[in-house]
Amino acid sequence: MLSKTAEYALRATIYIALKGSEDNKLGIEEIAKGIDSPRSFTAKILQLLTQNNRVISSVRGPNGGFYLTDRARKLPVKAILAAVEEENVITKCVLGLKECSETRPCPMHTQYKNIKKQLKQMFEKTAIQQLVDEFNKGNYFIDNLKGVRKPC
Amino acid sequence: MLSKTAEYALRATIYIALKGSEDNKLGIEEIAKGIDSPRSFTAKILQLLTQNNRVISSVRGPNGGFYLTDRARKLPVKAILAAVEEENVITKCVLGLKECSETRPCPMHTQYKNIKKQLKQMFEKTAIQQLVDEFNKGNYFIDNLKGVRKPC
DNA sequence: GTAAAAAAGGACACAAATATCCTTTTTTAA
DNA sequence: TTAAAAAAGGATATTTGTGTCCTTTTTTAC
């Protein structure tokens, strides 16, 4: 479904949103460990997220690190995909046809169109902070987002 | 969503189901042109489909080619994904976590679980022949599955 | 203002996906 | 039984995705 790049981008951003703040910036070391991802590769991805779409904020030097502003927390999850140029999952034809629409549908269009619509909704209507809130409400215990988990 | 390999596998199989029969086998040349895919690469993929899961049947030599048996036409679309080892789209966590379930959900599990369920249904409940039937009923006009299109 | 900490950036390495080409095997028709 | 047609198979090339490492820049604290 998504590339490793997109998965790490989502995991890292959610991790930073969950554990960090402007007063408590997180270093790349902690983030990579927290989401179980390769450190340097993740650093590259975070660069995309700080530059391309300003989803993540960063500060260099001692006490520096990554965090999300309140503004960024209101962004839809789609903004993360956009930063790593993978928004197209939302719109792409399941058979990979360049043209696939209601008037020129591919043979799977009827079956897929509603799923695609829901994917679109999920990524566009869900704010990053919303994921944080829901996660904090639950008593979840997650393996890969290690530092984030709570005991069951 | 899907790899090129999976897309070509789906397109080729649907193309063969639409245009071919045991009496009218299709050659790789025609198939690749019909679905707008690289010829040799598509040939490799068709090998997977003939070997791994017997979704497609083939005969060598003059008047040989590819076709689908009636049995194969009843297979779910998932069988095509299985042949190219890409069934996991149906079950995979959207964030790529190894463990993600109702009891140990990832932060997007709530939003994604229903979409995943529908994806699963689509690939498991839709038979290849069903796509053919629906396509033939409509007055469709498709660019990439070139030979298959009908005028609007 | 100097040293240390941290992200940013550049260059490179490795692996997987995608794609091509050529040879071999099978089959058919003449 | 031979030539031609077609898929099967093997080897290799190319591109993209993934991952690492080292240097540079920025920032802070002392």
Side-chain angles (χ1 to χ4, degrees):
Chain A
M1 165 74 88
L2 297 176
S3 65
K4 290 272 179 204
T5 298
E7 288 176 0
Y8 295 153
L10 290 169
R11 300 227 295 268
T13 305
I14 294 169
Y15 183 86
I16 296 166
L18 271 162
K19 288 209 55 182
S21 68
E22 189 151 5
D23 300 328
N24 180 32
K25 306 187 190 77
L26 306 182
I28 185 62
E29 192 69 46
E30 179 190 348
I31 296 164
K33 281 201 176 122
I35 68 171
D36 189 25
S37 69
R39 185 203 142 110
S40 297
F41 189 44
T42 308
K44 281 274 143 57
I45 296 166
L46 292 193
Q47 283 182 36
L48 296 175
L49 287 158
T50 51
Q51 296 164 357
N52 292 7
N53 288 60
R54 319 229 110 268
V55 176
I56 292 178
S57 303
S58 69
V59 173
R60 298 191 196 185
N63 295 320
F66 299 92
Y67 67 98
L68 265 74
T69 62
D70 288 344
R71 181 202 126 265
R73 288 172 181 274
K74 289 175 190 142
L75 290 174
V77 177
K78 185 188 174 185
I80 303 167
L81 295 182
V84 297
E85 286 172 330
E86 219 159 305
E87 303 164 271
N88 61 330
V89 261
I90 292 175
T91 49
K92 211 186 158 210
C93 166
V94 71
L95 299 186
L97 298 190
K98 283 167 212 143
E99 185 165 357
C100 173
S101 63
E102 212 56 37
T103 46
R104 287 188 172 204
C106 79
M108 291 202 67
H109 187 78
T110 309
Q111 352 278 322
Y112 186 59
K113 66 179 175 184
N114 192 42
I115 294 174
K116 192 160 70 177
K117 188 177 164 187
Q118 287 173 64
L119 267 178
K120 188 172 148 78
Q121 292 250 329
M122 173 175 76
F123 286 122
E124 288 181 351
K125 305 286 187 197
T126 309
I128 296 169
Q129 185 60 39
Q130 192 182 331
L131 297 177
V132 173
D133 293 341
E134 285 176 22
F135 189 87
N136 282 332
K137 264 202 295 195
N139 262 336
Y140 297 144
F141 188 84
I142 294 178
D143 251 343
N144 282 1
L145 294 171
K146 276 176 269 194
V148 179
R149 69 188 174 189
K150 292 181 182 182
C152 281
Chain B
M1 165 74 89
L2 297 175
S3 66
K4 291 269 180 203
T5 298
E7 287 176 1
Y8 295 154
L10 291 168
R11 299 226 295 268
T13 306
I14 295 169
Y15 183 87
I16 296 165
L18 270 162
K19 289 209 55 182
S21 69
E22 189 150 5
D23 300 328
N24 180 33
K25 305 187 192 77
L26 307 182
I28 185 61
E29 192 70 43
E30 178 189 349
I31 296 165
K33 283 204 176 118
I35 67 170
D36 188 27
S37 69
R39 186 204 142 111
S40 297
F41 188 45
T42 308
K44 281 273 143 60
I45 295 167
L46 292 192
Q47 282 182 36
L48 295 175
L49 286 157
T50 51
Q51 296 164 356
N52 292 8
N53 289 60
R54 320 229 109 270
V55 176
I56 292 177
S57 304
S58 68
V59 173
R60 298 190 196 186
N63 295 322
F66 299 93
Y67 67 99
L68 265 74
T69 63
D70 288 344
R71 180 203 127 265
R73 289 173 181 273
K74 288 175 190 139
L75 291 174
V77 178
K78 184 188 176 186
I80 303 167
L81 295 183
V84 296
E85 286 172 330
E86 218 157 307
E87 302 163 273
N88 60 331
V89 262
I90 292 174
T91 49
K92 212 188 157 208
C93 166
V94 70
L95 299 187
L97 299 189
K98 283 167 210 143
E99 183 166 358
C100 172
S101 63
E102 212 57 38
T103 46
R104 286 188 173 203
C106 78
M108 291 203 64
H109 187 78
T110 310
Q111 351 279 325
Y112 187 60
K113 67 179 176 185
N114 192 42
I115 294 174
K116 192 160 70 177
K117 188 178 167 189
Q118 287 174 63
L119 267 178
K120 189 173 149 76
Q121 291 251 330
M122 174 175 77
F123 287 123
E124 288 181 350
K125 306 286 186 197
T126 309
I128 296 169
Q129 184 60 38
Q130 191 182 332
L131 296 177
V132 173
D133 292 342
E134 285 176 20
F135 188 88
N136 282 332
K137 263 202 296 195
N139 263 336
Y140 298 144
F141 189 83
I142 294 178
D143 249 344
N144 282 2
L145 294 171
K146 276 177 271 193
V148 177
R149 69 189 173 188
K150 292 181 180 180
C152 282

